[in-house]
Amino acid sequence: MRHLASLHMYPIKSARGIDLSEAVVEPWGLAGDRRWMLVDEAGRFLSQRKQPLLATVTVRQETNGRLTVRTPSMDELWVEPTADTRLVPVTVWNDEFEAALGPDDAHAWFGKLLGFDVRLVHLDDPTRRTPDQRYADASDRVSFADGFPLLLTTTGSLESLNAVMDSPLPMNRFRPNVVIDEPEGWAEDRWRRVRIGDAIFRVVKPCSRCVITTTDQRSGERGAEPLRALGKHRRFGKKLIFGQNLIPELPSNGTGVLRVGDPFEVLETT
């Protein structure tokens, strides 16, 4: 039986992920996922695309909402939302909205790590941002994620991709939220609506991959793969595809729960 093989969240956008055994699903994604983000002085988001060193930043989320942030070269940092919220304009791709400015010591810590002035911001109100309306409903919402609330990948597709590369890569290169134990490679291309446990999701758009997938999620070092293999075997127009973006369809209480091992079912295909 197909099932949820693993579950992952990323409290700070582009920092290293956290493996979970269960997670709450909210309209804008997994609870706590990508609710913090680094921006430059203009308020534009920063990511591993240009800052691969962020892959070395580990984050632990405490039960009180505080984050413990570490990297090998620096002292530990503690971050939590402040009671005195100051909103500042931020930009993620073409989306412009407001987020809460983080504490000064966090700006200084990340600025020292990256070597230039940055600010850490918090999405205190996740209802501020909507996904791309070409693929989403007006009522849908998204956090600081690149475009959509969750990203799905499958074990079969990773096996298919690894089969055409000299050295296999781990799934963390693709930074998914949910990984489905699906034996058939690229089966997810046909999915349009799925159920994981008791939660239902719309499969709205294939995920176009970038240079982040070439970044080792431990060291921050880069190579040629998997973009070279995707370019040969998974090119659709100008886009290199691996994984599918999801939007939750939640019950009236507004949340759901996912647990590793939950059964997986395809409800609609194309």
Side-chain angles (χ1 to χ4, degrees), residues 4 7 22-25 196-199 201 250 255-259 262:
L4 178 60
L7 189 58
E22 67 176 66
V24 173
V25 184
I196 308 174
D198 294 328
F201 302 87
L250 295 172
T255 62
V257 178
L258 297 180
R259 298 178 178 86
D262 275 349

Side-chain angles (χ1 to χ4, degrees), residues 23 26 72 129 182 190 260:
E26 297 172 331
R129 184 180 175 218
E182 160 61 63
R190 303 188 299 272
V260 171

Side-chain angles (χ1 to χ4, degrees), residues 2-3 180 193-197 262-268:
R2 291 178 291 192
H3 64 274
I180 302 302
R193 198 160 170 262
V194 300
R195 186 197 309 273
I196 308 174
D262 275 349
F264 174 81
E265 179 182 4
V266 178
L267 302 177
E268 294 178 15

Side-chain angles (χ1 to χ4, degrees), residues 26-259:
E26 297 172 331
W28 36 83
L30 299 183
D33 185 50
R34 296 177 175 93
R35 294 290 293 275
W36 293 87
M37 176 177 72
L38 291 167
V39 298
D40 62 18
E41 290 185 297
R44 188 160 186 83
F45 82 102
L46 300 173
S47 76
Q48 288 185 34
R49 290 172 180 84
K50 294 185 177 180
Q51 306 299 329
L53 195 59
L54 290 175
T56 68
V57 176
T58 61
V59 184
R60 186 176 74 243
Q61 185 155 308
E62 314 290 353
T63 54
N64 61 2
R66 186 175 79 169
L67 303 182
T68 302
V69 186
R70 298 186 179 95
T71 196
S73 60
M74 297 177 61
D75 293 335
E76 198 170 68
L77 171 71
W78 295 275
V79 180
E80 57 188 327
T82 58
D84 184 17
T85 300
R86 177 189 165 195
L87 296 179
V88 294
V90 299
T91 305
V92 179
W93 297 116
N94 295 321
D95 296 337
E96 298 179 357
F97 52 105
E98 290 187 321
L101 195 62
D104 290 342
D105 60 340
H107 311 330
W109 192 94
F110 280 104
K112 181 179 178 181
L113 173 69
L114 298 178
F116 61 96
D117 290 340
V118 303
R119 293 180 295 174
L120 183 69
V121 296
H122 177 239
L123 190 57
D124 58 312
D125 180 359
T127 66
R128 291 196 184 107
R129 184 180 175 218
T130 58
D132 189 331
Q133 292 297 285
R134 292 175 296 175
Y135 307 96
D137 296 335
S139 60
D140 293 327
R141 294 295 182 267
V142 62
S143 65
F144 286 141
D146 272 358
F148 297 92
L150 292 95
L151 176 65
L152 173 150
T153 61
T154 70
T155 57
S157 293
L158 181 62
E159 290 176 5
S160 295
L161 185 62
N162 278 334
V164 297
M165 294 190 294
D166 292 336
S167 299
L169 294 176
M171 188 67 86
N172 66 10
R173 287 294 186 97
F174 301 96
R175 298 174 63 82
N177 294 113
V178 294
V179 180
I180 302 302
D181 185 13
E182 160 61 63
E184 180 187 348
W186 320 121
E188 66 272 20
D189 290 350
R190 303 188 299 272
W191 300 343
R192 285 299 170 264
R193 198 160 170 262
V194 300
R195 186 197 309 273
I196 308 174
D198 294 328
I200 294 175
F201 302 87
R202 304 196 312 274
V203 184
V204 293
K205 183 180 181 293
C207 185
S208 176
R209 309 318 303 224
C210 69
V211 70
I212 291 178
T213 60
T214 70
T215 308
D216 187 299
Q217 293 298 301
R218 293 289 172 181
S219 67
E221 296 177 354
R222 283 192 168 148
E225 296 291 14
L227 290 186
R228 184 163 54 190
L230 290 173
K232 292 179 179 179
H233 302 280
R234 290 287 293 170
R235 181 183 293 275
F236 295 83
K238 295 182 179 180
K239 299 184 182 300
L240 311 182
I241 300 300
F242 189 97
Q244 295 283 337
N245 290 292
L246 306 182
I247 294 178
E249 291 184 357
L250 295 172
S252 56
N253 63 7
T255 62
V257 178
L258 297 180
R259 298 178 178 86

